[in-house]
Amino acid sequence: LSSKEIHQLRRLGRSKAVVDFVSLSFMYVFVLEAIKVMSGPLSEITWGVPRNLEEVKKMMLVLLDSLSLSELAETWAPFALIAGLLTVATSDLILHPKLVQ
């Protein structure tokens, strides 16, 4: 490889690393916001290995109830999720073809 090609590869690698960091940051914000919404209902679950089907049903119902989309929509979570997904899609559209060459 020539020095010019090595320089281009390093630049692409740095760009890819920055984009990956940004997308992970958005996903981290999404998880934090989702945990804030679900922390109340999740504290009602006694965590452990379910012993029978009724305990499994109770745990699943509480988990499903905690995923209230209306409460989640009032936070920054949807925006963080969309921004993270758009960052990944942009990386795939712009950087991936250059890396394949």
Side-chain angles (χ1 to χ4, degrees):
L1 293 175
S2 69
S3 62
K4 182 180 178 183
E5 291 172 335
I6 291 172
H7 179 69
Q8 288 176 342
L9 287 174
R10 281 187 182 155
R11 193 177 71 225
L12 281 174
R14 288 181 187 136
S15 299
K16 180 76 171 132
V18 168
V19 170
D20 288 344
F21 177 75
V22 169
S23 63
L24 284 174
S25 299
F26 283 129
M27 294 304 166
Y28 179 72
V29 170
F30 170 74
V31 169
L32 286 180
E33 292 294 321
I35 287 173
K36 286 180 190 176
V37 171
M38 296 187 321
S39 63
L42 291 180
S43 63
E44 297 172 7
I45 298 177
T46 53
W47 293 98
V49 177
R51 295 189 181 107
N52 57 32
L53 190 57
E54 289 302 318
E55 289 180 11
V56 173
K57 285 182 186 177
K58 181 181 175 188
M59 189 180 296
M60 294 306 290
L61 285 175
V62 171
L63 282 173
L64 290 175
D65 287 342
S66 69
L67 294 174
S68 172
L69 293 179
S70 62
E71 289 178 12
L72 197 62
E74 296 173 2
T75 66
W76 285 99
F79 300 110
L81 180 64
I82 291 169
L85 293 175
L86 286 175
T87 304
V88 170
T90 302
S91 171
D92 286 345
L93 286 175
I94 295 173
L95 295 177
H96 187 69
K98 291 180 182 179
L99 289 173
V100 172
Q101 292 176 352

